[in-house]
């Protein structure tokens, strides 16, 4: 059980990808929108609010200068996370997967224990994944959701076949949502389920190691 939870933590970290900090500017088709996913807008202001939460937490850290200097692509990372969250919701709904509040709380307790306490969990998430304290539960929900999606598909995330099965489900969900990204942020790659041409700064995504190899590492 702990092994699966650690795997979920790895997967979620990979979801938070890097990209350039963006400013409030929309495209002609969707002014003010950073992206449109399944007909729903993700506002530039929503992305900026998440960036601001992280920057506030970073400035309060003893390592503020280092943390800020290493997260210059924070805006794009947050947009990717917002888009991926909707893709995962769609894939989970297609597989009749739901997540309870209790499951999220259990995941948080497990993550805190693995990290050495709640305070260390907050520090680790901020340093390694650019996640502010108020964003942690949303990330943990994704972790639970992805693990349950794999279970619903009969997929073992420790095995290549299982990783491919989950990756294929995410790709199918991504395509069905007809994702339109403001050109300021780049374009969306349905096959990779990521903003095109990004490179995750900390870890390889476990769901698609073969397809994601080019996106792994800094």
């Amino acid at each position: 059980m702990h092994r699966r939870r650690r795997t979920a933590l790895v997967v979620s970290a990979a979801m938070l990808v890097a990209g350039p900090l963006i400013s409030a500017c929309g495209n002609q088709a969707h002014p003010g929108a950073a992206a449109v996913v399944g007909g729903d807008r993700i506002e530039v202001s929503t992305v900026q609010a998440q960036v601001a939460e992280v920057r506030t937490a970073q400035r309060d850290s003893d390592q503020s200068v280092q943390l800020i200097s290493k997260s210059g692509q924070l805006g794009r990372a947050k947009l990717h996370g917002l888009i991926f969250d909707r893709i995962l919701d769609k894939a989970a709904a297609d597989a009749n997967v739901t997540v309870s509040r209790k499951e999220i709380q259990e995941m948080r307790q497990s993550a805190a224990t693995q990290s050495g306490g709640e305070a260390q969990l907050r520090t680790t998430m901020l340093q390694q994944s650019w996640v502010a304290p108020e964003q942690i539960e949303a990330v943990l929900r994704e972790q639970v959701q992805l693990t349950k999606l794999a279970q619903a598909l009969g997929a073992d995330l420790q095995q290549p076949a299982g990783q491919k099965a989950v990756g294929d489900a995410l790709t199918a969900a991504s395509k069905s949502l007809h994702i339109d990204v403001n050109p300021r942020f780049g374009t969306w790659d349905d096959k990779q389920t990521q903003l095109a041409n990004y490179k995750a700064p900390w870890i390889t995504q476990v769901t698609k190691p073969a397809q994601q190899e080019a996106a792994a590492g800094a």
Side-chain angles (χ1 to χ4, degrees), residues 110-139:
S110 175
T113 298
Q114 292 177 36
S115 298
E118 179 67 25
Q120 186 57 45
L121 172 64
R122 293 194 296 269
T123 298
T124 299
M125 294 291 281
L126 180 64
Q127 292 178 346
Q128 297 184 4
S129 303
W130 306 347
V131 175
E134 53 267 60
Q135 298 168 1
I136 291 176
E137 289 208 357
V139 172

Side-chain angles (χ1 to χ4, degrees), residues 86-129:
R86 287 156 175 77
I87 293 171
L88 185 53
D89 281 347
K90 179 64 167 63
D94 290 345
N96 296 316
V97 168
T98 59
V99 175
S100 70
R101 176 66 180 166
K102 180 180 179 182
E103 289 171 322
I104 297 172
Q105 291 173 333
E106 289 175 347
M107 174 63 81
R108 182 155 194 159
Q109 291 172 355
S110 175
T113 298
Q114 292 177 36
S115 298
E118 179 67 25
Q120 186 57 45
L121 172 64
R122 293 194 296 269
T123 298
T124 299
M125 294 291 281
L126 180 64
Q127 292 178 346
Q128 297 184 4
S129 303

Side-chain angles (χ1 to χ4, degrees), residues 24-90:
C25 177
N27 59 19
Q28 292 182 353
H30 308 290
V36 177
V37 182
D40 294 329
R41 294 163 58 93
I42 298 176
E43 303 293 346
V44 171
S45 59
T46 300
V47 178
Q48 292 179 323
Q50 289 209 355
V51 169
E53 289 174 348
V54 174
R55 291 296 186 222
T56 296
Q58 289 176 331
R59 285 192 291 269
D60 290 340
S61 170
D62 293 337
Q63 304 176 44
S64 59
V65 174
Q66 180 181 14
L67 291 176
I68 292 172
S69 68
K70 289 186 176 181
S71 57
Q73 299 175 332
L74 179 59
R76 200 158 175 242
K78 289 304 177 184
L79 176 58
H80 173 91
L82 289 164
I83 295 173
F84 193 92
D85 181 68
R86 287 156 175 77
I87 293 171
L88 185 53
D89 281 347
K90 179 64 167 63

